[in-house]
Amino acid sequence: MASFASQKLEEKLVCCICLEMFTTPVTVPCGHSFCEKCISSHWDKEEEGLNCQKTCTCPECRTCFPERPKLSKTVQLENLVELLKLEEVAPGVPEVEMRKAVDSQARKCPHHGRPLELYCVTEKRCICCVCTVRSCQKHKRALFEEERKAQEESIKETLEEKQKAAERIAAEIQKLEQQMNHVRVFSMKFSSGNLQKFDHLVETLKECQKKVSKMATSEHAALLKQMEENRNCLQHHLETVTQYNRTAEGLLSCVDDIVFLEEQHLLSPPNKLEAPPVIQFDLDNSAHMVTKFFTEFFRVLEELQSNLDLNPQMAGRKIRPEPKVFVKRMPGFCLSQNELRTKLLKDQQNLTFDPVTANKYLQISDNNQKATHPQGFQKPKPNDPQRFEPWQVMCTQNFSQGSHYWEVELSDHSVMVGVVCQTFTRLKQAHQKFTIGLDKFSWGLHIQEDSYMAWYNDKSTKIKEPLCKFIGVLLDCDQGMISFYSIDNNMKCLHVFHATFTEPLVPIFWLCEGTAVTLCQRLPSQI
């Protein structure tokens, strides 16, 4: 039973509005204390009264306040209330349990203001006795201790599961870090190995350069030495003949017969010149081995570079080869836009056919951008010295320096794409359909039914690659290179010619019956 002092203290700690012990006590300016909720509710009713008065009064002394005072919690009163509640708990109960009991009693239902007694499992909230009768009568309810025990078991199971998950994640992180370290070490070794290989490749190329330079210097020096000897021999004989001619002319001009007869036997004609050995040389043939080496090397290099540009995700996937047929161009068809082609398109030229050079059976249309060789009888055009006798046509543009690139669309195979010197012959050769690539002044790529043929100086190189509807040509006048490309999803270099150009070069084409060639134009957005 509570002591007399406790009863007196409890009387002093009662709110005059709710007549219960303070709950969150606050003090108004006149010095009286009330529950925060009680005084706020009292002032709300006053402001909503019939007179609509805006003043607030103290329920204890009826003091009026012109403005609603700001309330602040009275900490000391709240501590006294808590101590009094602790004394009301039965003796012998531990302090922790006492505090739990006080907390449970202090927390009241927000709807009914009654102490919380049970836990509603259905609504997952703590309820009072009024809630039990009204809103939660048919709900599943439990004591705080029972529900806490059940929830603790669930949390422990979840905690154990998450701890195991954390251990697994930590193990995966450790494994991933080990793999990352392995990749770093491998990357360092791989980079170092590649650097050594490329250094070795560069050194090998330098050695090849030295050998080629030494060989060319040696051969050319020997050739020049022999020519120098022949020239000296001829020069000496020229001087002898010149001296004889001068002496003979002087003797013939002598008017004294006696002097003439006495000196004529002293004049002896020079020996007959023995022709120096003929020097057989062909600079193109002497450089054939080196040219072949560069052609093969650049072809392999272009192929390797193309393989390196492939998407790594495509590695290991079996790619079905494209059928060796031409497909009709569909609306919206888009050419390949890989890195190599994007680079080449920077030098693209808009070409046009020169109708004056077109064979009399070829038709030029679409603003001189399309050449067609119709099948069947066609009325030939008038003869002209500039027209090709073979089924060939040149472009209007010519190039003598810099790098230039163009693309063409083929309607079918049996077409030849090439580059020739500007003074290339217009005449037809016996038993030959075309003249491109049959001499040292023209280079061509023949698109056949099942393969490509690269032509130069009447020699051909077969290229076994899938046929493509679009062909690209790169002419680098400064480097002395002519490269032919097939344009598809994976742009590929078909062949490279290396040569020395001595005059302007012009694009040229040969068309079999029933075929057409269209010059692809650079769009304004690409300029």
Side-chain angles (χ1 to χ4, degrees), residues 303-364:
E303 184 175 353
L304 292 176
Q305 186 177 3
S306 177
N307 292 335
L308 288 176
D309 290 339
L310 289 177
N311 190 336
Q313 297 179 355
M314 298 295 293
R317 293 178 57 182
K318 193 171 183 179
I319 302 175
R320 181 167 56 89
E322 294 292 332
K324 298 179 180 180
V325 295
F326 285 87
V327 181
K328 183 179 180 180
R329 183 173 184 178
M330 302 299 294
F333 181 81
C334 183
L335 293 177
S336 166
Q337 285 289 352
N338 57 24
E339 184 177 354
L340 175 60
R341 183 166 179 267
T342 302
K343 180 180 179 181
L344 293 175
L345 285 175
K346 296 179 181 179
D347 297 324
Q348 184 178 1
Q349 304 294 326
N350 285 345
L351 303 181
T352 53
F353 290 112
D354 186 358
V356 177
T357 66
N359 174 268
K360 58 185 179 181
Y361 294 108
L362 300 184
Q363 294 182 357
I364 307 300

Side-chain angles (χ1 to χ4, degrees), residues 12 55 208 225 271 362 391:
K12 299 296 183 181
T55 59
C208 291
K225 182 180 179 180
N271 297 329
L362 300 184
W391 298 330

Side-chain angles (χ1 to χ4, degrees), residues 452-497:
Y452 300 92
M453 295 291 288
W455 283 88
Y456 173 68
N457 200 19
D458 202 16
K459 295 180 181 178
S460 61
T461 302
K462 191 171 185 178
I463 304 168
K464 293 290 291 184
E465 291 290 344
L467 298 188
C468 188
K469 189 176 182 180
F470 292 87
I471 299 296
V473 183
L474 174 64
L475 170 61
D476 193 333
C477 299
D478 300 333
Q479 299 295 329
M481 292 172 53
I482 303 175
S483 306
F484 294 91
Y485 298 90
S486 62
I487 305 175
D488 207 337
N489 292 331
N490 294 320
M491 190 171 182
K492 190 170 186 179
C493 180
L494 299 173
H495 194 77
V496 180
F497 289 107

